[in-house]
Amino acid sequence: MARTPEEIVKRYKEANIWLRHWKQQIGLAKDAEQREMFTQYYEERVQEIAALEEPYRAALKILGES
């Protein structure tokens, strides 16, 4: 699936926002089950950000934002 540089940058930034959100939610979890669920969401965002790291850097260069 081809993405434009703008889409890559937007997705990377959104993933980082969600990463911070889930990290905060882990601390606010009411019980172990909820904490585990939030941790899973957090880890999914970490993986997504890692997968987007190279395309993100390339997109910034293309857009002249590096």
Side-chain angles (χ1 to χ4, degrees), residues 10-34:
K10 180 181 176 189
R11 186 64 210 132
Y12 184 86
K13 289 179 179 181
E14 288 173 350
N16 272 290
I17 290 168
W18 280 109
L19 183 73
R20 288 190 300 273
H21 170 78
W22 291 120
K23 185 174 184 177
Q24 180 182 33
Q25 292 304 306
I26 291 167
L28 298 173
K30 296 177 184 174
D31 55 37
E33 182 179 341
Q34 197 176 50

Side-chain angles (χ1 to χ4, degrees), residues 19-64:
L19 183 73
R20 288 190 300 273
H21 170 78
W22 291 120
K23 185 174 184 177
Q24 180 182 33
Q25 292 304 306
I26 291 167
L28 298 173
K30 296 177 184 174
D31 55 37
E33 182 179 341
Q34 197 176 50
R35 188 170 21 264
E36 184 178 327
M37 181 177 64
F38 294 160
T39 299
Q40 179 182 351
Y41 295 154
Y42 176 83
E43 290 171 354
E44 288 171 1
R45 295 296 73 75
V46 168
Q47 291 173 4
E48 181 178 10
I49 289 168
L52 285 169
E53 191 69 37
E54 277 190 47
Y56 173 73
R57 291 184 190 282
L60 289 179
K61 286 182 182 180
I62 290 168
L63 297 171

